[in-house]
Amino acid sequence: MINEFAKTHNLKKYQVDQFNIGYYKTLISSFDELSTWSKQLREDLKKELLFSKLTVEKTETSNDGSTTKVLFKTGKNNYIESVLMRDKSRNTVCVSCMSGCPVGCIFCATGQMGLNEILDEQEILDQILYFARELKKENSSITNIVYMGMGEPMLNLENVAQSIEAITDTDKLAFSKRRVTLSTSGYVQNLRAFLGKNLGVKVAISLHAPNQKLRDILMPNVSKNNTLIDLFEVLDGYVKDTNKRITYEYVLIKGVNDSISDAKELVELLKGRLALVNLINYNENGCFEFKKSDNTLLFQDILLKNGINCTIRKSYGGDIKGACGQLSVNYIQC
Ligand code: SF4
């Protein structure tokens, strides 16, 4: 965050270290709290840099207290949402990398917003730091970070990669790579570039269909130019090189992709691959006619009986539209 400032003010390494300790580890809540710096330097910092590029517009917590959704405004007056999900000792933050999303998957509320703005590294980090500071007030901390909020990370590759570097940098947030998951709809070329960076985070693919034809219908913008054949070529190469398992997210929509034959086709697609299927019950969102599947357990059973690892994702925050596929700021009339 302070690279430019450090250069123009000829900061010594120990001063940069002091900043990083205060900002990322102590989680100060304003530059005034950076007591290891002189008052003058703090004043310069305040004049030249924003403590956070995002401002909090609204927070909502679900009835059961498990989920808090925060509406942030960017400097360009666009809105994004981020979500904190609590489950026992687990505090997972779901971050956005864009305001809206250009991919327009036909079942996703965020996709209906189109793209308003691509977030920079700092704006992505600001979401994480916000929740880290909030949890610190309860003597708690973030345990997991998922890039599954608004936007497609592979269409904001550099900023997303830089934010992951900052999260996992031992001088900054020092977050375990194993506790960071990036989810993508599968832009093959950029995914190859991302995986080539060896950032060590977990990768999840928004698959949502067991074949090319159905994927072309559900996710037309990404699917048509990024075929399953090309996608698996990249993923299979990555698994071969790293022996890391890929998670495949599959949102189950009634009568669309949840039949027994869909499950069997998914088995055939993933057989022999190091894969975990994460089934997601469709969260009805008022934007579409799509309905939640009744077949979730049966679908899971078919996968498990055929040797495919499969879990069902716990849904958080449906009552505040904070669940998967529901993020869209309120001014969007679905
Ligand atoms: S599912 Fe993901 S990639 Fe598709 S429109 Fe929604 S946010 Fe974008």
Side-chain angles (χ1 to χ4, degrees):
M1 170 186 202
I2 58 153
N3 290 353
E4 277 307 309
F5 184 88
K7 262 188 222 158
T8 53
H9 290 263
N10 288 320
L11 295 190
K12 302 272 188 294
K13 183 180 178 303
Y14 80 90
Q15 290 171 302
V16 174
D17 290 345
Q18 286 170 334
F19 175 87
N20 285 338
I21 289 168
Y23 193 72
Y24 295 105
K25 295 189 187 297
T26 311
L27 295 167
I28 54 173
S29 51
S30 78
F31 287 145
D32 289 323
E33 292 178 17
L34 194 59
S35 54
T36 47
W37 275 20
S38 68
K39 187 159 190 306
Q40 183 57 53
L41 208 46
R42 289 201 302 264
E43 291 304 318
D44 291 344
L45 189 59
K46 277 158 61 181
K47 271 186 220 141
E48 293 175 40
L49 282 181
L50 289 170
F51 184 73
S52 170
K53 286 182 158 184
L54 301 177
T55 49
V56 176
E57 288 286 302
K58 190 176 169 189
T59 65
E60 280 177 275
T61 297
S62 61
N63 291 333
D64 65 1
S66 68
T67 309
T68 300
K69 183 174 80 166
V70 178
L71 177 71
F72 292 102
K73 188 157 86 172
T74 70
K76 291 181 186 159
N77 293 329
N78 289 310
Y79 293 91
I80 60 165
E81 288 180 326
S82 319
V83 183
L84 168 66
M85 293 158 282
R86 301 165 190 259
D87 186 10
K88 297 177 187 137
S89 58
R90 209 173 158 116
N91 294 315
T92 302
V93 170
C94 176
V95 291
S96 294
C97 66
M98 295 175 173
S99 168
C101 181
V103 183
C105 301
I106 67 164
F107 52 85
C108 172
T110 311
Q112 302 312 296
M113 292 173 65
L115 175 65
N116 295 324
E117 185 181 346
I118 285 178
L119 302 188
D120 66 18
E121 175 198 350
Q122 186 59 44
E123 289 164 325
I124 297 169
L125 287 175
D126 281 344
Q127 300 165 61
I128 295 163
L129 288 164
Y130 169 82
F131 286 112
R133 292 182 198 115
E134 289 300 304
L135 286 167
K136 187 188 158 201
K137 292 175 193 166
E138 308 166 13
N139 289 323
S140 189
S141 57
I142 299 172
T143 58
N144 297 74
I145 298 170
V146 294
Y147 285 73
M148 295 185 185
M150 291 180 169
E152 165 50 60
M154 289 306 101
L155 297 181
N156 189 8
L157 180 57
E158 288 311 317
N159 289 310
V160 165
Q162 283 164 12
S163 70
I164 291 172
E165 279 165 356
I167 293 166
T168 53
D169 185 340
T170 50
D171 289 337
K172 295 180 178 170
L173 280 172
F175 211 80
S176 164
K177 293 171 181 177
R178 288 178 295 111
R179 291 177 176 270
V180 179
T181 303
L182 177 136
S183 171
T184 172
S185 57
Y187 283 85
V188 170
Q189 210 177 331
N190 289 6
L191 179 60
R192 193 192 303 274
F194 177 79
L195 296 175
K197 290 178 184 288
N198 287 322
L199 295 176
V201 298
K202 289 184 181 166
V203 176
I205 302 294
S206 296
L207 189 62
H208 307 317
N211 59 54
Q212 187 65 40
K213 197 172 162 202
L214 185 53
R215 208 164 186 264
D216 285 349
I217 294 169
L218 296 177
M219 312 169 76
N221 292 340
V222 58
S223 179
K224 287 187 177 157
N225 294 318
N226 299 274
T227 64
L228 286 176
I229 290 172
D230 292 342
L231 181 59
F232 279 111
E233 189 200 327
V234 172
L235 295 172
D236 290 346
Y238 175 73
V239 173
K240 190 164 170 246
D241 291 346
T242 63
N243 204 32
K244 285 196 171 137
R245 185 172 73 176
I246 304 288
T247 297
Y248 294 91
E249 294 159 339
Y250 195 103
V251 62
L252 280 167
I253 310 173
K254 187 173 186 171
V256 174
N257 63 355
D258 68 336
S259 68
I260 290 173
S261 69
D262 290 327
K264 287 181 177 168
E265 213 174 341
L266 190 57
V267 168
E268 288 310 309
L269 186 67
L270 297 179
K271 204 177 257 178
R273 294 191 152 107
L274 196 52
L276 168 72
V277 174
N278 193 210
L279 297 176
I280 305 165
N281 282 313
Y282 183 70
N283 291 299
E284 293 167 23
N285 51 41
C287 288
F288 315 105
E289 295 297 311
F290 294 127
K291 298 277 175 229
K292 191 176 178 166
S293 171
D294 304 320
N295 274 352
T296 308
L297 291 175
L298 177 62
F299 203 95
Q300 182 190 35
D301 197 46
I302 293 170
L303 266 62
L304 290 174
K305 283 194 173 132
N306 285 281
I308 306 290
N309 293 311
C310 179
T311 53
I312 298 171
R313 183 181 297 175
K314 189 172 171 186
S315 183
Y316 293 86
D319 58 327
I320 54 167
K321 291 205 172 169
C324 199
Q326 288 186 319
L327 298 186
S328 90
V329 295
N330 292 343
Y331 58 80
I332 300 296
Q333 298 301 316
C334 289

